[in-house]
C-alpha cells in the first residue's frame, strides 16, 4: 500500500468514525402520554416558546432525559412539572388548580374608569374582569371625589364573583373661622 493510499484509507476511516459518533450522540425520542385534569391544557416542553400540543396527548415524542412540562389553561394557574423521560408509553399526569374570577361592574355611571386594586396591587379600571387565586381578597375601587369602595371577598376556584360597585361622593371640604 502506498503512503497516499494509506492516508486516504485513514481519512475515510476517520470520517466514518465521526459520522457514527454523531449518530450515537443524536438525541433519541421516546413516545409518552401527557394528561391533565381538566383536559384541554396547552403543553410546553422546557420553555413557553412553542407548544407540543393540547391535553390529552398520546404518544408524543420527547427527547430522553430530564425536562420541565409547562401547562397553561384559561382560568387555571400555570403548572410546571419536572419529568424524566426514559420509558416508552409512560404517562405523565398533572392536576391544574382552578382560579377564581372577580368581575367588577359599574353600579352607577360615575364608577366607570375608577381605579381597581386587589390586595393592594393595581389591576386596571372598572369595568374589570380578572383571575385571582382562590382565597380571601381585599377589593378596592377609588376615584377622586368619592369615598374608596373597600370590601373583602372569599373567592373559590372556578367561582365567578360579580360585584357591581357603588361609591359615595365625599363630603365637601369646608373650613371654619
Amino acid at each position: 500500500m502506498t503512503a497516499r493510499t494509506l492516508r486516504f484509507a485513514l481519512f475515510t476511516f476517520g470520517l466514518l468514525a465521526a459520522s457514527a459518533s454523531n449518530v450515537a450522540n443524536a438525541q433519541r425520542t421516546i413516545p409518552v402520554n401527557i394528561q391533565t385534569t381538566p383536559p384541554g391544557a396547552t403543553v410546553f416542553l422546557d420553555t413557553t416558546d412553542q407548544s407540543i400540543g393540547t391535553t390529552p396527548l398520546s404518544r408524543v415524542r420527547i427527547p430522553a432525559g430530564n425536562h420541565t412540562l409547562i401547562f397553561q389553561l384559561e382560568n387555571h394557574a400555570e403548572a410546571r412539572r419536572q419529568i424524566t423521560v426514559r420509558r416508552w408509553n409512560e404517562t405523565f399526569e398533572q392536576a391544574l388548580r382552578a382560579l377564581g374570577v372577580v368581575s367588577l361592574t359599574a353600579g352607577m355611571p360615575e364608577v366607570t374608569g375608577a381605579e381597581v386594586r386587589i390586595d393592594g396591587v393595581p389591576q386596571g379600571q372598572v369595568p374589570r374582569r380578572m383571575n385571582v387565586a382562590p382565597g380571601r381578597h381585599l377589593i378596592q375601587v377609588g376615584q377622586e371625589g368619592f369615598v374608596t369602595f373597600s370590601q373583602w371577598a372569599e373567592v373559590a376556584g372556578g367561582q365567578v364573583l360579580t360585584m357591581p360597585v357603588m361609591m359615595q361622593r365625599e363630603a365637601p371640604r369646608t373650613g371654619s373661622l
Side-chain angles (χ1 to χ4, degrees):
M1 195 183 274
T2 67
R4 185 175 188 188
T5 306
L6 182 59
R7 279 195 309 260
F8 178 76
L10 288 173
F11 175 75
T12 305
F13 178 76
L15 283 177
L16 287 173
S19 70
S21 172
N22 287 342
V23 169
N25 289 333
Q27 191 88 18
R28 70 182 175 124
T29 60
I30 298 175
V32 298
N33 305 307
I34 303 171
Q35 300 174 354
T36 58
T37 304
T42 302
V43 182
F44 300 89
L45 184 65
D46 299 321
T47 69
T48 55
D49 292 342
Q50 186 174 2
S51 141
I52 60 171
T54 302
T55 61
L57 290 169
S58 202
R59 299 184 54 78
V60 62
R61 297 190 74 83
I62 295 180
N66 296 325
H67 297 283
T68 302
L69 293 177
I70 304 165
F71 303 92
Q72 294 179 349
L73 180 62
E74 188 174 345
N75 297 328
H76 289 75
E78 179 179 281
R80 291 174 181 256
R81 176 156 182 211
Q82 301 296 320
I83 63 167
T84 301
V85 176
R86 56 183 157 225
R87 290 190 313 267
W88 279 54
N89 289 325
E90 189 170 8
T91 298
F92 299 102
E93 298 180 55
Q94 181 68 43
L96 303 176
R97 188 179 61 149
L99 296 173
V101 176
V102 173
S103 178
L104 300 175
T105 60
M108 54 195 277
E110 296 87 348
V111 175
T112 300
E115 297 296 321
V116 175
R117 288 181 173 269
I118 304 264
D119 300 325
V121 178
Q123 298 291 329
Q125 301 175 329
V126 174
R128 183 80 174 127
R129 182 180 174 98
M130 67 220 95
N131 291 330
V132 296
R136 189 169 185 217
H137 298 280
L138 177 60
I139 299 168
Q140 297 173 302
V141 180
Q143 175 114 317
E144 192 171 321
F146 290 86
V147 175
T148 299
F149 170 90
S150 202
Q151 184 172 337
W152 284 96
E154 186 74 32
V155 183
Q159 175 188 5
V160 177
L161 175 66
T162 302
M163 188 179 294
V165 177
M166 303 284 288
M167 296 173 69
Q168 295 179 2
R169 289 200 179 273
E170 286 182 337
R173 296 182 185 161
T174 57
S176 63
L177 292 173

